[in-house]
Amino acid sequence: MTMNNQGRPTAPGTVEESELPTISGDRGLDHEEPLIFELGRSGMTGVDIPEVQVSDTHLGGLRRRGPIGLPGLSEPEVVRHYVRLSRMNCAIDAGLYPLGSCTMKHNPRLNEKMARLPGFGDTHPLQPEQTVQGALQLISDLMRWLMVLTGMPAVAMSPKAGAHGELCGMLAIRAAIHARGETRPRILVPESAHGTNPATAAMAGFTVDEVPATPDGHVDADALEAKLGPDVAAIMLTNPNTCGLFEPRIKEMADAVHKAGAYFYCDGANFNAIAGRVRPGDLGVDAMHINLHKTFSTPHGGGGPGAGPVVLSAALAPFAPLPLITHDGSEFRFIEDRETLPHGAKPFGRMCAFHGQMGMFVRALTYMLSHGADGIRQASEDAVLSANYILASLKDVMSAPFGEGPCMHEALFDDSFLEGTGVTTLDFAKAMIDEGYHPMTMYFPLVVHGAMLIEPTESESKESVDRFIHVLREMALEAKAGKTTRFAGAPRLAPRRRLDETAAARKPILRWKPKELPQAAE
Ligand SMILES: *Cc1c(COP(=O)(O)O)cnc(C)c1O
């Protein structure tokens, strides 16, 4: 057996050996894990629940007679089940996660510690305001940071994700237009936009009109200006855009939009490229959501909660949704209803039942305070530097449609370097899983063919980025040399290989039914 210089065995074994099926069905540390409902059995429980003496239940015929149908497992079985499942996932705590547009940065542990302080973690949204003054002050401080960083005079805190923030911004714009006695049905959206933009505009009752891109990856400002008219309510634009490029004509576009009586909604998902360097308010933005879970390091993915506060210009601020937060000199207070509105406030309604994602607010403010203003600027600069390093290091072997650079915080490649190899963007991305990496964003933005959008974020060390570049370089060189075995049917080493994603989307099976009791889960 060969050893490396630290004396660890390096021989991987022969192919036949590694493919020998195991008796258990598990593969080393990769466990074949059934659903918790399949694991559980009736009569087993992880806690002791005292017998309840049920006398008269008033339930009559509604009283349950059969088993409740919940899985019964001991505590160690439950712990193992979820630990095993967690190991099947790529995670930012397990490795570089270059998913473009998603800003998968490190979630500092300090954030978690702060969010668990009982004064933040154990509060209830219906508690009297006098008992949660600290929490309200934290929200107010976070609002101040967001307004200063964006150069905007108001912010709505309740939206619970980026897309929810887009809806908040669109509803504020609609209210502002109605207040002027106008109806403007059209929203201009660039063809490079994230899918949530046109979906949100449509959901808010507008029609969507697409603005083309120029060959160098920017929004075609001339085409945009030509489309402006008295029926246009707003543009929705991302800056830096989804090609990872700053829009150089943004101020000019904002001026033209305002001159036409329309508003400028900016998708702020890419704020991590410019936070601390550029204030969107200075660019003429009227509304912008900020994904706290992207730019400000609160966790996301896997269904975790996000938060999408929306900063508003002076023109839109009066239409901000309830609740508003005020300080009367001695106490913080939520304004929850129309009877107690401050002068000039015309809220369009509300976005959710309570006040937003408190846990995310604590994490985001912790991140801001631990970095300081200079640290936030440094993080943006490092994120941009990492992306440019990747672009410059790979553009000779992978094709970069806007490779003359510089890019902002993400590097965009297309699939022309794979032409004639039989390897597709999908194959290339799936082969990255075998190399221990989460794939980059694929086939988005739509303006380039077979897009691969890589966002390393500032969290990665140079060593980590170098290793990533090395792996992608070798993969690209192999594909181009006709060595395509590792791409066909990849991933080979993941718990599951290629799923039929179309069937999963078209014929989803959303409910588990026990085999022996087909009626029980109904
Ligand atoms: C992530 C993202 C969104 C949507 O944000 P969510 O928080 O996922 O709802 C919108 N636009 C762009 C460009 C994004 O990257």
Side-chain angles (χ1 to χ4, degrees):
M1 186 182 297
T2 52
M3 301 276 186
N4 69 13
N5 59 8
Q6 281 120 33
R8 296 205 186 97
T10 56
T14 61
V15 172
E16 301 85 72
E17 265 176 58
S18 66
E19 284 179 359
L20 186 68
T22 58
I23 296 161
S24 62
D26 296 342
R27 295 193 303 163
L29 300 179
D30 246 357
H31 294 271
E32 194 46 53
E33 191 65 7
L35 297 177
I36 196 163
F37 288 93
E38 294 167 302
L39 283 174
R41 54 231 180 262
S42 59
M44 170 61 82
T45 168
V47 286
D48 287 332
I49 302 172
E51 280 293 325
V52 183
Q53 293 305 321
V54 183
S55 47
D56 186 5
T57 64
H58 305 289
L59 284 172
L62 296 175
R63 187 169 169 193
R64 182 189 289 279
R65 302 200 187 280
I68 192 165
L70 292 176
L73 293 93
S74 70
E75 182 172 315
E77 288 172 321
V78 173
V79 170
R80 280 183 191 158
H81 176 69
Y82 288 107
V83 169
R84 288 172 171 188
L85 288 187
S86 75
R87 293 165 58 135
M88 292 182 185
N89 264 329
C90 287
I92 188 62
D93 290 342
L96 193 158
Y97 203 126
L99 197 62
S101 210
C102 293
T103 312
M104 304 301 294
K105 63 165 75 177
H106 173 59
N107 312 130
R109 292 304 174 266
L110 181 64
N111 298 359
E112 300 305 315
K113 196 170 165 188
M114 294 301 114
R116 283 166 179 71
L117 289 175
F120 297 129
D122 298 346
T123 52
H124 189 281
L126 292 177
Q127 239 170 283
E129 282 162 358
Q130 306 88 290
T131 65
V132 287
Q133 286 295 306
L136 298 195
Q137 178 168 355
L138 181 137
I139 298 176
S140 173
D141 286 355
L142 177 61
M143 291 169 76
R144 175 117 200 93
W145 272 85
L146 294 174
M147 291 188 287
V148 170
L149 280 168
T150 56
M152 306 279 276
V155 57
M157 295 303 286
S158 57
K160 300 204 171 183
H164 204 211
E166 290 172 30
L167 185 63
C168 174
M170 284 295 111
L171 294 177
I173 288 169
R174 197 176 68 174
I177 286 170
H178 286 172
R180 299 196 322 223
E182 295 180 37
T183 45
R184 291 173 169 247
R186 208 147 57 92
I187 301 276
L188 306 183
V189 182
E191 59 183 2
S192 62
H194 192 268
T196 51
N197 293 183
T200 300
M203 200 171 158
F206 294 103
T207 55
V208 176
D209 192 354
E210 248 187 32
V211 181
T214 59
D216 62 357
H218 294 115
V219 174
D220 186 335
D222 298 325
L224 182 133
E225 285 174 34
K227 280 176 181 280
L228 287 169
D231 62 336
V232 172
I235 58 164
M236 286 185 96
L237 206 137
T238 313
N239 193 29
N241 69 25
T242 55
C243 298
L245 304 174
F246 193 84
E247 293 289 355
R249 295 176 68 183
I250 187 147
K251 193 78 185 61
E252 185 191 327
M253 290 190 272
D255 290 345
V257 163
H258 290 146
K259 205 159 143 236
Y263 296 96
F264 176 4
Y265 186 90
C266 183
D267 179 329
N270 292 342
F271 196 43
N272 202 47
I274 58 171
R277 285 197 67 107
V278 176
R279 301 190 311 167
D282 297 339
L283 304 177
V285 169
D286 289 298
M288 183 179 97
H289 72 259
I290 299 167
N291 309 63
L292 297 186
H293 47 289
K294 293 180 182 172
T295 310
F296 297 110
S297 82
T298 74
H300 64 136
V310 179
V311 285
L312 298 165
S313 65
L316 293 182
F319 305 97
L322 296 173
L324 309 177
I325 187 165
T326 61
H327 190 255
D328 63 9
S330 62
E331 262 193 358
F332 287 98
R333 229 163 27 83
F334 277 124
I335 296 174
E336 303 264 11
D337 51 53
R338 291 177 188 278
E339 284 67 58
T340 54
L341 287 180
H343 180 68
K346 295 170 241 172
F348 68 73
R350 46 190 313 151
M351 296 300 295
C352 58
F354 294 118
H355 316 112
Q357 303 279 38
M358 189 63 205
M360 298 301 119
F361 298 162
V362 180
R363 289 172 174 88
L365 187 67
T366 304
Y367 176 87
M368 291 171 174
L369 293 177
S370 56
H371 281 67
D374 56 336
I376 289 175
R377 182 189 170 102
Q378 175 85 51
S380 303
E381 289 174 351
D382 290 351
V384 171
L385 182 64
S386 297
N388 275 287
Y389 183 49
I390 287 177
L391 182 67
S393 307
L394 289 175
K395 70 179 180 188
D396 61 329
V397 290
M398 291 169 71
S399 40
F402 314 119
E404 65 283 3
C407 61
M408 295 301 287
H409 65 317
E410 44 200 5
L412 179 62
F413 298 92
D414 65 19
D415 64 358
S416 49
F417 76 101
L418 294 173
E419 211 175 312
T421 62
V423 176
T424 63
T425 290
L426 183 73
D427 301 328
F428 196 85
K430 295 289 182 193
M432 285 170 69
I433 299 173
D434 288 333
E435 302 295 331
Y437 290 111
H438 190 283
M440 71 283 269
T441 289
M442 305 178 276
Y443 301 108
F444 172 79
L446 304 176
V447 288
V448 304
H449 197 269
M452 304 182 204
L453 186 63
I454 298 178
E455 181 180 2
T457 84
E458 72 280 8
S459 303
E460 299 305 321
S461 64
K462 174 154 185 301
E463 289 71 21
S464 154
V465 177
D466 278 336
R467 185 173 174 269
F468 177 72
I469 290 169
H470 168 70
V471 170
L472 261 63
R473 264 195 97 74
E474 292 302 311
M475 285 172 61
L477 290 172
E478 279 197 12
K480 293 209 271 199
K483 291 197 223 158
T484 55
T485 329
R486 73 169 71 257
F487 301 99
R492 291 166 297 124
L493 305 174
R496 289 290 176 274
R497 300 195 59 185
R498 272 198 216 182
L499 305 179
D500 184 346
E501 287 166 12
T502 311
R506 297 253 165 94
K507 295 185 213 145
I509 301 170
L510 301 175
R511 190 199 278 170
W512 174 81
K513 290 183 190 171
K515 282 195 196 75
E516 66 280 20
L517 295 168
Q519 305 305 320
E522 293 297 322

